[in-house]
Amino acid sequence: MAIVPETRPRLSYAALLPRVTALGLNVETHPVFIVGIRGYYTASMGEPGNDRGIYDDAIFLVSPAFFGAYNGNTDPSRYRAGTASGPGKGMARLMPGLWMVHTFDLHRGKSAPPYLALCQRKGPVSVTRDGVDQPVSGNFGINIHCGRKNGTSSEGCQTIYPDQWQSFIQSAQDQARRFLGVNWSHATIPYALLVDAD
């Protein structure tokens, strides 16, 4: 089974904008933002339905001067049932919606030195956890970071295929510097998670 599609996601700014403004995003106040679409390749990749462990989702980086599309993952890499919190907690899956909690910071993974990513530092998010009926909210470190070639490298984070990561993070920095000014590195970068199918 292919872990990444042969092409990048295709969607226009005109098609995407109404979906994020419907969630309450003000693009005048927040001109640089990120959109994830869970299940973008549902019908053409993997098993029927949205899969784990493959890059079958889409991630877009948007600004007034830039519209970039990336192969991404918005699910945990595998299934692990457990509790809502504490030891033995189930894998987290970010709930769809508009999340005003990400900023540039260092992501600290298990197998690589810390590197610049978009990190959940500015407030709680809501997730569902494997084996738990009700959503839970908190500061779970649901970051937007680089995945791996042999897996999506996610315990709930939003990850981007590694061959596309440098392009994504460099473009994100460039657009933030251009449109957010001297405080770009501390500014909130909105993340809208949508659910779709191709």
Side-chain angles (χ1 to χ4, degrees):
M1 174 172 58
I3 194 169
V4 65
E6 293 181 2
T7 62
R8 292 195 187 200
R10 294 185 177 102
L11 192 67
S12 71
Y13 176 80
L16 192 63
L17 186 61
R19 297 183 67 182
V20 296
T21 55
L23 294 175
L25 178 63
N26 182 332
V27 297
E28 299 294 325
T29 307
H30 297 282
V32 180
F33 59 94
I34 300 166
V35 180
I37 302 180
R38 179 175 286 150
Y40 185 85
Y41 290 100
T42 293
S44 62
M45 193 177 175
E47 301 297 323
N50 190 51
D51 295 305
R52 295 187 181 195
I54 62 175
Y55 295 95
D56 63 346
D57 304 318
I59 294 182
F60 298 91
L61 172 63
V62 186
S63 84
F66 186 87
F67 189 79
Y70 306 89
N71 296 113
N73 162 70
T74 66
D75 305 291
S77 297
R78 59 188 175 87
Y79 183 88
R80 183 186 69 212
T83 60
S85 62
K89 62 187 175 187
M91 283 285 195
R93 189 171 189 242
L94 183 64
M95 296 190 69
L98 178 61
W99 301 107
M100 307 292 286
V101 298
H102 291 91
T103 191
F104 290 96
D105 203 347
L106 296 179
H107 173 74
R108 291 171 169 81
K110 294 179 180 175
S111 60
Y115 61 91
L116 189 66
L118 276 299
C119 298
Q120 181 200 350
R121 299 286 190 258
K122 295 197 167 203
V125 296
S126 295
V127 302
T128 55
R129 288 198 178 272
D130 293 343
V132 179
D133 292 335
Q134 297 296 319
V136 292
S137 297
N139 295 307
F140 304 124
I142 305 296
N143 298 341
I144 302 168
H145 69 85
C146 182
R148 292 190 213 146
K149 286 194 175 183
N150 62 349
T152 54
S153 188
S154 171
E155 294 186 358
C157 291
Q158 318 292 282
T159 60
I160 293 175
Y161 189 64
D163 286 353
Q164 300 170 21
W165 173 253
Q166 283 305 316
S167 171
F168 169 84
I169 196 64
Q170 288 173 0
S171 296
Q173 290 178 82
D174 290 345
Q175 297 307 304
R177 285 187 180 103
R178 179 174 178 180
F179 291 102
L180 305 178
V182 294
N183 294 321
W184 70 271
S185 62
H186 304 292
T188 298
I189 307 295
Y191 177 58
L193 179 58
L194 310 173
V195 177
D196 206 358
D198 61 356

